[in-house]
Amino acid sequence: MKKAILIILIILIVIILLIFFKPENNSIDYNKSLKNELSKIDCYDKRNLNRYINYLDSNPDLYLEDVVIRVNLNLDKKFYTSTTKSSFLNKNYILVNKYIYLPEDYVPDNLVNAKLEYSRDGMMLVEEALLSFEKMYYAAKKDGYKIRIMSSYRSYQYQVNLYNNYVKKDGVDAADTYSARPGFSEHQTGLCVDIDDGIINYQSFEKSRSYIWMKNNSYKYGFIERYPKGKENVTGYSYESWHYRYVGEKIATYIHDNNITFDEYFILYIKK
Ligand SMILES: [Zn+2]
């Protein structure tokens, strides 16, 4: 008899616990409302729903919009996995990063030589980008600052040699933190420059007077800081104070005013 009462008691307790906690129902409700919130976001892609949920799980502090943007960038996957070929060749708004690459034989149209007045010998850029750089150079000069191109267009083959040398020296893992793999370098677009001020090494550009000028003015000429400080998780690159990318005045101004990266801009307004 005592045993029967005990069993009934246990069953009662279990029922009460189930009524109060309803674990399954709660998580279904949560996922439903999360899906609802996510789907309101502009660049939401329903094929990525499970990836958004998983990414939010491991990054609970992010805004939902950032979760969507980052997953759409494939940042929930390892670098150099899930890669796609760029479909924006010869456009100022082409994105190249650790998931989007350029064909081996891609050489941008309209590459022209930079003048020695503001460049190392043999530097080439896409004409529109170079004309804008030139304007920026003269504006900086007028204000009393110097900028100089130390690296610009680099061919696929050049990047092969560069990357392989780094790998030989430091190993793949280390090389991947500071050098792009061939095809994945923005320098192959002919739309970006590494600059210095003619005084200190380009890798210390951040410490130069010219850096402040660039920070306040480069967007007016269509150039942005491509790998900003604090955005390493989005760009996949360590901070590079010397690397500027031409995207045109309109996009550069938006990126500057809203303090976002070009990767984010691309997902928000170009790829969608
Ligand atoms: Zn660079």
Side-chain angles (χ1 to χ4, degrees):
M1 191 60 189
K2 266 187 186 171
K3 209 173 171 188
I5 292 172
L6 195 67
I7 289 171
I8 290 168
L9 258 178
I10 290 173
I11 291 172
L12 272 176
I13 289 170
V14 169
I15 290 171
I16 288 167
L17 282 175
L18 280 175
I19 289 170
F20 278 98
F21 291 103
K22 280 193 293 182
E24 238 174 83
N25 285 348
N26 274 351
S27 86
I28 289 171
D29 284 351
Y30 171 74
N31 277 357
K32 222 173 164 185
S33 73
L34 181 59
K35 187 184 165 189
N36 189 33
E37 287 305 307
L38 284 164
S39 62
K40 289 181 198 156
I41 293 165
D42 225 14
C43 47
Y44 169 78
D45 180 343
K46 63 180 177 197
R47 292 167 302 179
N48 291 345
L49 177 61
N50 286 333
R51 290 170 61 198
Y52 297 143
I53 292 171
N54 291 337
Y55 197 72
L56 183 64
D57 243 13
S58 32
N59 300 277
D61 296 335
L62 282 182
Y63 287 116
L64 287 187
E65 190 185 26
D66 289 331
V67 169
V68 170
I69 291 171
R70 291 186 193 196
V71 168
N72 288 6
L73 280 166
N74 279 342
L75 285 164
D76 58 331
K77 304 199 173 176
K78 274 192 174 166
F79 294 149
Y80 302 116
T81 63
S82 306
T83 58
T84 49
K85 199 188 283 181
S86 169
S87 41
F88 296 95
L89 301 181
N90 290 305
K91 303 277 189 242
N92 288 340
Y93 46 82
I94 184 173
L95 176 70
V96 177
N97 61 19
K98 287 176 174 171
Y99 304 94
I100 305 176
Y101 63 93
L102 297 168
E104 265 182 58
D105 59 357
Y106 177 62
V107 179
D109 295 341
N110 305 320
L111 278 178
V112 288
N113 280 305
K115 289 180 192 156
L116 283 175
E117 184 183 351
Y118 51 78
S119 168
R120 219 154 56 84
D121 198 10
M123 297 292 102
M124 290 196 292
L125 274 186
V126 168
E127 190 173 23
E128 183 184 329
L130 187 67
L131 290 174
S132 280
F133 184 89
E134 204 168 279
K135 273 190 208 156
M136 182 164 72
Y137 164 78
Y138 286 120
K141 192 177 173 189
K142 208 172 138 215
D143 289 350
Y145 300 90
K146 185 170 182 178
I147 49 173
R148 192 172 65 150
I149 301 175
M150 298 305 286
S151 183
S152 53
Y153 166 70
R154 301 203 290 245
S155 70
Y156 183 92
Q157 197 48 49
Y158 184 100
Q159 196 68 23
V160 168
N161 297 337
L162 193 69
Y163 179 75
N164 286 348
N165 281 337
Y166 289 141
V167 170
K168 241 185 249 165
K169 204 175 95 199
D170 293 333
V172 172
D173 289 346
D176 277 341
T177 65
Y178 60 82
S179 172
R181 291 188 185 177
F184 294 85
S185 170
E186 194 174 62
H187 282 276
Q188 198 186 332
T189 65
L191 293 169
C192 64
V193 287
D194 293 339
I195 60 173
D196 77 358
D197 68 344
I199 303 165
I200 45 183
N201 183 283
Y202 78 98
Q203 287 183 321
S204 303
F205 186 65
E206 190 188 359
K207 294 181 187 133
S208 69
R209 292 172 63 242
S210 300
Y211 172 73
I212 309 290
W213 190 91
M214 285 295 286
K215 201 135 190 93
N216 295 326
N217 296 283
S218 73
Y219 71 94
K220 299 172 192 165
Y221 304 89
F223 283 87
I224 53 155
E225 244 191 297
R226 179 68 181 87
Y227 306 118
K229 194 178 264 181
K231 304 279 186 170
E232 296 84 351
N233 288 341
V234 180
T235 63
Y237 280 90
S238 323
Y239 174 48
E240 292 193 1
S241 62
W242 58 89
H243 181 111
Y244 289 83
R245 161 70 193 274
Y246 181 74
V247 287
E249 205 183 306
K250 206 176 128 209
I251 297 178
T253 303
Y254 187 93
I255 287 175
H256 173 265
D257 292 352
N258 292 279
N259 192 30
I260 60 171
T261 61
F262 181 55
D263 303 79
E264 291 163 305
Y265 183 90
F266 184 84
I267 292 297
L268 285 167
Y269 302 109
I270 296 169
K271 193 186 169 198
K272 284 206 167 179

